[in-house]
Amino acid sequence: MADGTGSSTRQRLRSSRGRPSGVNRLRELSNSPQSVPPTGVSSIEFSPFIIPAFSALDLGRDDQVMEDSDDDRDMKNSDDDRYYVEHDVDSQDVEDIYESEYDLFPKIAEPQDHAIEEDDSRDDPPVCEPGSSEDVDCLELEFVLAVCSRDPDQDPHPDENRRISRRLAQFTYEDPELDAENRENLKSYTIRKILKILSRRGLHAHEPDGVQVPDELDSDIGDEPLPDWLELIDSFEVRSPYKPGRSNYNNGIIGYSFAGVFAALCATEGYDLRTISGDAIEVACNRVRRCLEEKDSWKDGTDMEQVLSYFAFKLSAEKLQLHQLEAKALELAEDPNHVRVPGLIPRYRAWTAVEDLRVSGDGFDSMTADRYDIPPNRQGQIPMEQYVWFGAEVVSPVLPANSDETAAIIRRACDALRVNLRIHKPMEYSTGFHVHLGHMHGWNLLQIKRFITLWFLTEGVLIHIHRKDRESEYMDPWIAKFGEGTKLAQTLWHPDTVTRHLVYCLPQTDPRTRARNIEEMERHVASIFMTDRQQEFIRNIWLYTSIDDLADAVAGGYNAELGGLMRPAVRMRVTGHKRTNEPNTRDDANADDPSQARNAQTLEVRTMHGTVDANHINHWIVVLRRFVYYTRHASPDEFRDLTGSITGFATQPEHLGQLLQILQVPNATQRYFYLPHNRDTDPNTGQSWFTYPDKDRVDWEEPFAYPYHGSTHGAEYDILENNYDYFPPFQ
């Protein structure tokens, strides 16, 4: 000890004053000889300046002196806990640091409620029936779509069948203030458009609160391919004997009945009456006129005009009512196939959509002209300036994980979106695809420790299953690795002292609890092939005694360039002690507020790049389900063997194939990620990554995803996937 007495040291912590404050004081201390850890104390147990006991200090009452308890004296005399009073840091230093940095670190500068925690309860309380397979997935698809042309008189791709809005092209969207209303209308219309597309394909879609949609109907704006109404109208037949002198009311009944016949014909032939245009209704009126004149000898006059007027009125009203019914259905939609997780908020009970400004193509991830192949007839065009783009995030309901129907639903959703919308082919940096892994009855602490352990050991290799840009410096703040960008990693290894202590989060347990947790770790984890760094990180993971503390430790650390907190590759959106709470059950959680989604009680995997290729999505989910299996269902021996195999044989980027085999990923999925057109080698590093056939240079002649659920670049690549002469099956 610095002076041999815990009491006097703590008294100095309370009473000393008149020293340099805040970050400057901390930096002075960091350069002092005392900042070097004492010999024999590992960095797992030692952290200069931040004292695990400081949370017991009343930082707001400097006149109070805390006396030693018996437990304090025991800890003070323990070699393992030598760091408790090793440094001469006063409470004013701590206060000043927090005061000066609090705006930057509002979530991470709060002291612990207690320094040492004894916890005899097990980490694996039951969360479901033994052998339960009620695992669930929730998907977030991010993509960029063209809503309308910048030039209202010209479509940049006039031969493209997927229509864009003519009406919305009449407005401007550049000025944040002057064009705010235009932008809001475009946003609202596009969100509802996406939801209507999904709904019309049998995917129950829920409209977010606050969406204000313009009055225009689909057929008036022309956002979707319309059926051939002329062909249907030519087949439309009506008859009614001519009786002069009918009343207006009786002629109205005839007109209404004709509209009913036409609506029934639409339903029989698969025509959506919601999309009929005013011009088509006028053509239908002329068809009624011809039928009455030619077959029933009606004459032009009052009777005819009254029948046609009521026919057109009823048809237009029927169309409007169908739109109103659809709008109401979007407000109240709930997918009957969603997994009924207790406490689930409405947005996860059906498909929904929101705007995501981060995937707009602007900023560092802008699709500049040099990232396109621009044909000679389009020279001079700047692709991203030809359209008004919209960054969309489409979120699925909570779906059963181990179900063939889920894969089929994903195919249907991707197909519906791509057939109807001009969705840009996958872009570097900008978009991502997120999978929320959960269970109907939640997680327990042991399962979360297992998942973090497995992800930490594989993240450096597994990232190569995705595109190269997912490991770029641009993406670091958004998908930070557990071993580099989390608060725990920064606490252990960050070179900057201030950052290291502002994110301080080492587990603080009594020796008995620590010993029990280490014993449990050794039952599950084989460390024989691990590096010292791996052992240090994992040992800390297994020392945590609550889900809340562990989730906080692997939350994103501080990024100086970002000026805030990063997001890890897997966000632990869980709360609880030994088992997760019900979704959105914290006192400060608003069940209707999506910002409280941390309480979704899911593990959000964020590493994959954005795509609307259902085959690619389904293969990635297959890989993640192997993680879920080992996390939730493997025996301690099986999990231990797994960690030993990974650290022994799958530690380098070129070991991706070995890793997939060790995880026992099905052969078809392994083969998919190694198809020649899906892999490319970086000539500078020799490392292999997922790629697209265009090698990340988009053909501006055909910049939109192929209108089909599979490969975004054309169905021919899905044909190759099933061609074993092209690439043999994995054995």
Side-chain angles (χ1 to χ4, degrees):
M1 298 298 172
D3 59 4
T5 62
S7 178
S8 59
T9 302
R10 287 199 172 103
Q11 187 166 356
R12 290 205 315 277
L13 287 173
R14 285 292 172 200
S15 60
S16 55
R17 282 289 183 268
R19 303 187 181 189
S21 63
V23 176
N24 292 333
R25 170 61 178 155
L26 188 53
R27 293 196 186 281
E28 286 182 18
L29 293 170
S30 68
N31 294 322
S32 71
Q34 288 182 324
S35 66
V36 181
T39 304
V41 179
S42 72
S43 59
I44 295 178
E45 299 161 337
F46 172 84
S47 182
F49 312 129
I50 296 296
I51 312 171
F54 84 86
S55 58
L57 303 177
D58 185 348
L59 296 181
R61 298 176 58 192
D62 297 307
D63 58 341
Q64 178 179 343
V65 177
M66 180 175 289
E67 297 296 330
D68 281 338
S69 67
D70 291 339
D71 289 340
D72 290 333
R73 296 188 186 96
D74 290 341
M75 289 184 292
K76 173 182 65 181
N77 294 322
S78 167
D79 289 340
D80 289 339
D81 299 286
R82 208 181 314 175
Y83 59 92
Y84 267 79
V85 288
E86 185 67 31
H87 292 295
D88 187 13
V89 185
D90 65 32
S91 59
Q92 184 60 41
D93 293 325
V94 177
E95 284 188 50
D96 290 342
I97 293 167
Y98 284 128
E99 288 173 1
S100 61
E101 299 294 324
Y102 191 77
D103 289 340
L104 290 179
F105 301 91
K107 301 297 184 185
I108 57 182
E110 300 175 359
Q112 304 284 334
D113 291 333
H114 48 273
I116 292 296
E117 179 176 317
E118 182 174 350
D119 192 330
D120 291 329
S121 57
R122 294 174 57 88
D123 288 351
D124 59 344
V127 292
C128 60
E129 293 294 326
S132 168
S133 59
E134 294 172 311
D135 298 312
V136 297
D137 295 332
C138 182
L139 316 177
E140 296 179 3
L141 295 82
E142 297 176 351
F143 53 87
V144 177
L145 65 98
V147 178
C148 60
S149 172
R150 295 277 184 184
D151 183 348
D153 299 320
Q154 185 175 1
D155 184 341
H157 294 89
D159 297 330
E160 173 61 61
N161 291 327
R162 292 164 287 189
R163 301 190 180 189
I164 53 177
S165 174
R166 296 189 298 270
R167 175 69 179 273
L168 294 178
Q170 307 298 320
F171 303 96
T172 58
Y173 304 93
E174 304 302 322
D175 192 296
E177 295 183 4
L178 297 178
D179 298 328
E181 183 177 353
N182 295 341
R183 183 70 198 183
E184 188 63 28
N185 285 342
L186 180 139
K187 167 188 170 181
S188 300
Y189 179 82
T190 306
I191 289 175
R192 178 166 282 189
K193 184 66 183 176
I194 292 171
L195 298 179
K196 284 183 176 181
I197 287 170
L198 294 171
S199 179
R200 293 172 187 179
R201 286 294 297 271
L203 300 165
H204 299 264
H206 173 75
E207 185 174 276
D209 293 337
V211 172
Q212 301 296 323
V213 182
D215 293 332
E216 304 90 12
L217 303 179
D218 304 76
S219 55
D220 300 319
I221 297 182
D223 282 2
E224 63 183 51
L226 300 178
D228 187 349
W229 287 105
L230 296 182
E231 181 179 356
L232 181 74
I233 292 170
D234 283 342
S235 67
F236 176 47
E237 298 282 348
V238 290
R239 298 286 303 269
S240 180
Y242 178 59
K243 295 181 180 180
R246 281 195 179 105
S247 67
N248 190 340
Y249 175 80
N250 287 330
N251 285 329
I253 291 176
I254 294 173
Y256 272 36
S257 68
F258 288 171
V261 173
F262 187 81
L265 179 64
C266 289
T268 301
E269 299 298 326
Y271 282 65
D272 190 344
L273 189 57
R274 291 171 294 190
T275 65
I276 192 170
S277 66
D279 291 341
I281 291 177
E282 185 175 347
V283 173
C285 287
N286 291 331
R287 176 62 181 172
V288 171
R289 183 191 300 275
R290 289 198 305 273
C291 287
L292 295 180
E293 287 178 342
E294 296 173 2
K295 298 181 180 181
D296 294 310
S297 301
W298 284 59
K299 307 295 183 182
D300 276 338
T302 301
D303 289 335
M304 176 75 81
E305 294 306 319
Q306 286 178 351
V307 168
L308 297 180
S309 176
Y310 282 114
F311 171 77
F313 173 80
K314 180 61 174 176
L315 212 55
S316 298
E318 188 75 17
K319 170 186 172 181
L320 179 60
Q321 287 176 353
L322 289 173
H323 273 284
Q324 292 173 339
L325 177 62
E326 183 177 45
K328 195 65 177 177
L330 290 175
E331 293 178 16
L332 305 175
E334 183 174 298
D335 192 326
N337 297 317
H338 85 275
V339 180
R340 300 181 184 280
V341 177
L344 192 67
I345 60 177
R347 70 175 301 208
Y348 293 123
R349 299 174 191 170
W351 291 84
T352 190
V354 296
E355 182 179 23
D356 192 335
L357 297 174
R358 294 169 300 174
V359 300
S360 64
D362 294 332
F364 69 80
D365 51 6
S366 176
M367 292 293 287
T368 53
D370 61 344
R371 296 170 69 179
Y372 290 86
D373 283 329
I374 301 178
N377 63 316
R378 294 180 177 274
Q379 289 299 316
Q381 291 186 1
I382 301 176
M384 294 303 286
E385 295 182 2
Q386 302 302 304
Y387 291 98
V388 177
W389 300 91
F390 183 83
E393 180 179 298
V394 172
V395 183
S396 78
V398 174
L399 300 170
N402 300 304
S403 169
D404 293 338
E405 180 63 20
T406 295
I409 288 172
I410 294 170
R411 288 192 291 270
R412 196 190 319 163
C414 290
D415 187 81
L417 294 170
R418 286 166 54 179
V419 164
N420 289 280
L421 301 171
R422 296 190 189 183
I423 296 177
H424 199 291
K425 287 177 179 175
M427 304 165 66
E428 286 186 345
Y429 307 136
S430 185
T431 61
F433 169 71
H434 304 168
V435 184
H436 289 254
L437 304 174
H439 191 278
M440 183 173 179
H441 303 292
W443 303 83
N444 62 38
L445 178 57
L446 176 64
Q447 293 166 349
I448 294 176
K449 287 180 177 181
R450 281 176 147 198
F451 184 93
I452 295 172
T453 298
L454 184 53
W455 191 270
F456 169 70
L457 292 176
T458 60
E459 60 184 355
V461 177
L462 192 63
I463 192 66
H464 287 263
I465 209 169
H466 305 305
R467 287 164 58 136
K468 180 173 62 177
D469 60 279
R470 303 307 283 180
E471 199 176 43
S472 70
E473 61 181 13
Y474 298 113
M475 294 306 302
D476 281 347
W478 309 112
I479 52 172
K481 291 181 178 178
F482 275 177
E484 296 176 4
T486 57
K487 291 169 65 176
L488 176 58
Q490 290 187 347
T491 298
L492 294 173
W493 306 308
H494 198 283
D496 178 67
T497 304
V498 174
T499 298
R500 191 162 66 248
H501 298 303
L502 286 170
V503 299
Y504 179 84
C505 61
L506 291 186
Q508 298 168 36
T509 57
D510 71 291
R512 185 173 62 177
T513 302
R514 180 182 305 143
R516 188 183 67 251
N517 286 350
I518 292 301
E519 181 180 356
E520 188 69 8
M521 179 196 72
E522 291 173 347
R523 288 183 62 225
H524 288 82
V525 180
S527 60
I528 184 172
F529 298 119
M530 288 186 189
T531 64
D532 291 344
R533 190 181 182 102
Q534 288 174 326
Q535 292 185 47
E536 186 175 20
F537 188 88
I538 290 175
R539 183 168 184 253
N540 275 278
I541 291 299
W542 286 78
L543 288 178
Y544 287 98
T545 58
S546 76
I547 291 173
D548 283 325
D549 290 343
L550 179 53
D552 181 66
V554 293
Y558 179 68
N559 181 282
E561 294 183 4
L562 186 68
L565 300 178
M566 297 182 285
R567 291 186 177 180
V570 182
R571 293 180 72 185
M572 313 304 288
R573 309 186 85 153
V574 290
T575 59
H577 185 54
K578 296 298 186 179
R579 58 175 295 174
T580 51
N581 302 322
E582 285 190 2
N584 291 284
T585 55
R586 282 198 319 192
D587 292 339
D588 61 344
N590 181 345
D592 296 320
D593 183 359
S595 69
Q596 297 295 331
R598 181 171 186 260
N599 297 312
Q601 311 306 353
T602 60
L603 315 184
E604 181 190 3
V605 182
R606 304 165 48 83
T607 54
M608 183 170 161
H609 53 272
T611 186
V612 281
D613 177 347
N615 295 341
H616 192 168
I617 289 170
N618 283 328
H619 280 300
W620 174 230
I621 292 174
V622 167
V623 175
L624 293 181
R625 286 176 184 163
R626 296 307 300 160
F627 278 77
V628 173
Y629 166 77
Y630 287 109
T631 295
R632 300 189 70 100
H633 305 297
S635 68
D637 288 343
E638 187 178 5
F639 191 85
R640 194 173 192 279
D641 290 344
L642 175 71
T643 60
S645 297
I646 290 171
T647 54
F649 304 102
T651 60
Q652 301 301 317
E654 60 269 22
H655 295 161
L656 176 62
Q658 291 94 313
L659 175 61
L660 297 180
Q661 291 176 18
I662 291 170
L663 292 171
Q664 298 184 34
V665 172
N667 289 341
T669 293
Q670 293 186 48
R671 181 176 178 275
Y672 173 83
F673 286 108
Y674 273 90
L675 288 169
H677 59 268
N678 285 344
R679 302 300 295 176
D680 191 32
T681 300
D682 186 333
N684 298 318
T685 65
Q687 295 179 355
S688 174
W689 301 89
F690 186 92
T691 192
Y692 284 99
D694 59 15
K695 306 302 180 187
D696 293 328
R697 287 187 60 84
V698 176
D699 180 2
W700 182 233
E701 195 68 46
E702 297 181 349
F704 304 113
Y706 188 79
Y708 159 74
H709 76 263
S711 173
T712 54
H713 289 65
E716 62 269 25
Y717 295 103
D718 291 321
I719 295 173
L720 288 176
E721 181 181 349
N722 299 311
N723 185 344
Y724 295 115
D725 292 331
Y726 168 70
F727 192 63
F730 274 34
Q731 300 298 327

